[in-house]
Amino acid sequence: MTNPDFNPWIFALLCDSDFQPRKDTGTWSHRDGRPFSKEEQALADSATRAEVEELSAQHARYKKYVHEICDAPDVTQRFLAPFMEQLTEKKLGNAIELMSEDEMAEFNRLLALADEPIRPFTPYAF
């Protein structure tokens, strides 16, 4: 974040928030379901517009990341298809032999995405 006036405690709390008010406490909840304490709710309510906008931007990047991870197996299949079409013996090792250095780098990136577990949303990570 570029604004040194951001309160890191507020921002971390916002990143761990389920913004739906609870009927039993009238507060928001942590993502694990624990209700906010009155102090936590007051802290979250004091968030500046800039903090909320930064949260929104980081969450948008997180959603893009999750989408990319979830789509990685299909994208990898589509990436490999043109190489497989060129082969009579359709084996992954044979397809790799046809790839340029840049194509191999992209293939490795896609494989890593397909194998990566989805990381949770955390402040400043996305």
Side-chain angles (χ1 to χ4, degrees):
M1 292 199 312
T2 58
N3 187 340
D5 296 329
F6 279 9
N7 181 328
W9 300 110
I10 291 175
F11 199 74
L13 185 61
L14 291 175
C15 288
D16 187 37
S17 298
D18 175 358
F19 297 100
Q20 298 298 319
R22 294 174 57 111
K23 292 180 181 177
D24 59 338
T25 63
T27 64
W28 294 344
S29 297
H30 294 274
R31 286 185 303 177
D32 65 6
R34 291 176 295 122
F36 276 12
S37 67
K38 298 284 185 206
E39 295 80 14
E40 287 173 323
Q41 187 64 53
L43 187 61
D45 290 341
S46 72
T48 65
R49 180 182 180 120
E51 287 164 333
V52 173
E53 287 173 354
E54 179 61 23
L55 173 70
S56 179
Q58 286 192 27
H59 194 258
R61 289 190 296 272
Y62 176 72
K63 288 186 346 188
K64 181 180 176 192
Y65 154 80
V66 169
H67 183 69
E68 189 174 29
I69 295 285
C70 291
D71 285 353
D74 292 335
V75 172
T76 303
Q77 281 292 112
R78 289 193 299 275
F79 177 84
L80 281 173
F83 298 102
M84 292 298 196
E85 288 174 5
Q86 298 176 48
L87 300 171
T88 51
E89 190 175 347
K90 301 188 184 312
K91 293 185 177 181
L92 183 58
N94 294 343
I96 289 173
E97 291 177 9
L98 299 175
M99 294 180 191
S100 70
E101 201 172 298
D102 289 343
E103 291 165 333
M104 190 65 191
E106 176 62 6
F107 179 63
N108 285 330
R109 185 187 76 80
L110 291 170
L111 280 180
L113 284 174
D115 191 45
E116 180 179 321
I118 296 176
R119 292 176 284 162
F121 180 67
T122 56
Y124 313 112
F126 298 93

